[in-house]
Amino acid sequence: MPRLKVSRSALHGRGVYAAEEIGKGVKVIEYVGKRVSAREAERVAEEQLCRSSKSGTGAVYLFTINKKYDIDGNVPWNKARLINHSCDPNCEAQNIRGHIWIVSKRKIKTGEELTYNYGFGMDSWQDHKCRCGSPKCLGYIVAASSRGALSRVLKRRRV
Ligand SMILES: [Zn+2]
């Protein structure tokens, strides 16, 4: 795995940076955490969502592994939880045989901040404001697959 470093981020709080050049398609870091049942995950999500709407930032640390289990990554030993969201990210989260990996989508230069799309659904988009600063930013954090739907909603509101 490539060397990484944690430091203050221009995007939000702390961030994770490449300490060496990373090629495309590399498993950069595993997103680790506590295994929770799907039912427990619903409760945890509710709690994290509540806290994040108060602070105005996206902070839900759950990844679905399969129908039965989720990973709750809100634990101190999960360095990947510090990776920020971007609407134009250089990494993506992949479920590889039951493990969540942050995988590079393109070549990443030394010193570049790692980002991935947090992939939130459309049901709570208003709770997750985005300030990633990318030209593709919609102002809210949603999954790549929901970007079209959200931009239509936002367009309608502006009219
Ligand atoms: Zn954004």
Side-chain angles (χ1 to χ4, degrees):
M1 275 190 283
R3 283 183 299 123
L4 305 173
K5 84 174 203 265
V6 173
S7 65
R8 285 206 70 78
S9 167
L11 297 179
H12 174 76
R14 284 179 296 171
V16 180
Y17 292 78
E20 62 187 335
E21 196 177 279
I22 302 171
K24 185 184 171 180
V26 171
K27 284 176 173 173
V28 177
I29 185 172
E30 184 176 355
Y31 194 96
V32 293
K34 280 185 293 194
R35 263 189 170 216
V36 293
S37 68
R39 180 173 297 178
E40 173 75 357
E42 248 172 69
R43 193 189 59 75
V44 172
E46 206 54 53
E47 242 176 57
Q48 291 179 350
L49 205 59
C50 185
R51 234 178 294 144
S52 77
S53 58
K54 267 180 219 150
S55 64
T57 55
V60 176
Y61 299 95
L62 289 161
F63 269 103
T64 300
I65 297 288
N66 56 33
K67 271 186 210 149
K68 284 187 190 148
Y69 292 107
D70 280 40
I71 289 277
D72 176 8
N74 194 18
V75 294
W77 64 88
N78 178 28
K79 205 174 17 170
R81 81 188 191 287
L82 299 173
I83 300 175
N84 282 304
H85 163 93
S86 170
C87 296
D88 187 16
N90 53 21
C91 295
E92 63 189 354
Q94 288 182 13
N95 184 339
I96 301 173
R97 285 183 225 104
H99 291 266
I100 303 299
W101 283 93
I102 305 301
V103 178
S104 54
K105 288 179 74 176
R106 58 169 171 79
K107 199 163 112 178
I108 300 171
K109 290 187 224 121
T110 308
E112 218 182 304
E113 179 167 2
L114 305 181
T115 54
Y116 67 94
N117 188 323
Y118 283 3
F120 296 149
M122 278 294 286
D123 44 346
S124 59
W125 61 271
Q126 281 153 313
D127 293 332
H128 301 290
K129 287 207 174 68
C130 185
R131 298 176 199 87
C132 76
S134 120
K136 293 186 182 169
C137 187
L138 291 173
Y140 295 92
I141 297 174
V142 289
S145 57
S146 297
R147 285 176 57 86
L150 178 58
S151 64
R152 283 191 294 278
V153 170
L154 294 172
K155 234 175 254 161
R156 237 177 284 135
R157 286 190 157 193
R158 255 177 245 132
V159 179

